[in-house]
């Protein structure tokens, strides 16, 4: 099992980390959530049926972990209660690759796209990240999201249309 887990880590860690980072936009939070993904992968690997690729299965887990994080954050903010910070990470998985925003600084158009992603709906943002940043196929994206291929195509089309319009507005100085 250790060899399988190491192989999954070696093959998919960078992609999972970037996917989660694009969603949460915080290095520490992304590292924590990736660690949570690997805990869930480890605990549930024996139930993985192989109906999808390990990559799409892990991205599906990552998506659910990220959604759970946002729900918890929303509840925390609504309650204005103290939030327990996890500081006890003995074996924390970390990443030394440049962050997406560090890479994006090298290209203004990519940086603009990255900023405009925040203006998309959550569904549009996740489709753009999976399709164009993680380079998953439409079928793989549908499997990760548990959607139909048609819904992925429609959401992708609307996202591209929205992003094109939004980027033109921002470039033209009409941001609002």
């Amino acid at each position: 099992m250790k060899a399988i887990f190491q192989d999954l880590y070696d093959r998919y860690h960078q992609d999972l980390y970037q996917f989660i980072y694009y969603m949460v936009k915080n290095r520490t939070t992304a590292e924590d959530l990736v660690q949570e993904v690997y805990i869930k992968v480890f605990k549930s690997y024996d139930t993985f049926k192989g109906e999808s690729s390990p990559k799409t299965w892990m991205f599906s887990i990552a998506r659910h972990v990220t959604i759970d994080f946002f729900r918890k954050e929303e509840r925390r903010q609504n309650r204005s209660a103290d939030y327990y910070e996890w500081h006890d990470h003995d074996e924390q998985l970390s990443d030394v690759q440049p962050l997406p925003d560090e890479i994006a600084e090298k290209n203004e158009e990519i940086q603009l796209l990255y900023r405009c992603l925040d203006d998309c709906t959550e569904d549009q943002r996740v489709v753009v990240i999976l399709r164009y940043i993680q380079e998953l196929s439409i079928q793989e994206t549908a499997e990760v999201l548990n959607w139909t291929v048609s819904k992925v195509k429609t959401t992708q089309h609307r996202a591209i249309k929205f992003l094109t319009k939004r980027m033109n507005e921002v470039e033209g100085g009409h941001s609002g």
Side-chain angles (χ1 to χ4, degrees):
M1 180 64 192
K2 190 174 183 178
I4 293 170
F5 186 76
Q6 186 63 46
D7 180 57
L8 291 173
Y9 179 86
D10 292 344
R11 288 171 55 194
Y12 304 119
H13 174 72
Q14 183 65 28
D15 290 341
L16 288 170
Y17 178 82
Q18 286 185 345
F19 169 70
I20 292 173
Y21 181 82
Y22 272 106
M23 296 301 289
V24 301
K25 306 249 172 91
N26 179 287
R27 182 189 297 251
T28 304
T29 301
E31 288 172 354
D32 290 347
L33 294 178
V34 168
Q35 185 172 6
E36 193 174 326
V37 168
Y38 280 105
I39 290 167
K40 289 183 182 296
V41 166
F42 188 76
K43 287 181 176 178
S44 63
Y45 188 77
D46 57 338
T47 63
F48 175 58
K49 296 177 177 74
E51 293 170 357
S52 63
S53 73
K55 183 177 184 176
T56 57
W57 176 65
M58 291 175 70
F59 268 93
S60 182
I61 292 170
R63 176 177 174 260
H64 288 288
V65 165
T66 306
I67 288 170
D68 289 346
F69 165 78
F70 284 129
R71 286 182 184 144
K72 288 175 190 170
E73 277 292 295
E74 188 175 337
R75 283 196 301 269
R76 182 187 69 79
Q77 289 172 354
N78 289 342
R79 284 195 317 262
S80 297
D82 291 336
Y83 181 64
Y84 181 74
E85 290 290 331
W86 293 95
H87 293 292
D88 188 23
H89 298 296
D90 295 335
E91 301 270 336
Q92 184 170 11
L93 303 174
S94 61
D95 194 282
V96 294
Q97 298 294 320
L99 288 173
D101 62 337
E102 294 168 346
I103 295 167
E105 287 175 8
K106 297 176 184 172
N107 184 315
E108 287 182 25
E109 190 169 296
I110 291 173
Q111 193 174 18
L112 176 61
L113 172 66
Y114 181 66
R115 285 196 315 269
C116 290
L117 268 176
D118 284 343
D119 298 330
C120 289
T121 67
E122 184 180 329
D123 285 350
Q124 290 172 345
R125 185 168 54 244
V126 77
V127 167
V128 169
I129 292 168
L130 290 172
R131 290 282 295 125
Y132 297 102
I133 297 170
Q134 297 304 324
E135 299 179 350
L136 267 59
S137 69
I138 289 177
Q139 181 63 44
E140 289 171 326
T141 302
E143 289 172 17
V144 167
L145 300 175
N146 198 23
W147 291 358
T148 63
V149 166
S150 176
K151 183 174 180 181
V152 171
K153 287 180 178 178
T154 301
T155 305
Q156 174 181 304
H157 175 75
R158 289 179 180 155
I160 299 305
K161 190 174 176 181
F162 174 82
L163 282 170
T164 302
K165 180 179 178 231
R166 184 71 184 118
M167 287 172 71
N168 286 335
E169 289 171 357
V170 171
E171 284 180 327
H174 301 18
S175 63

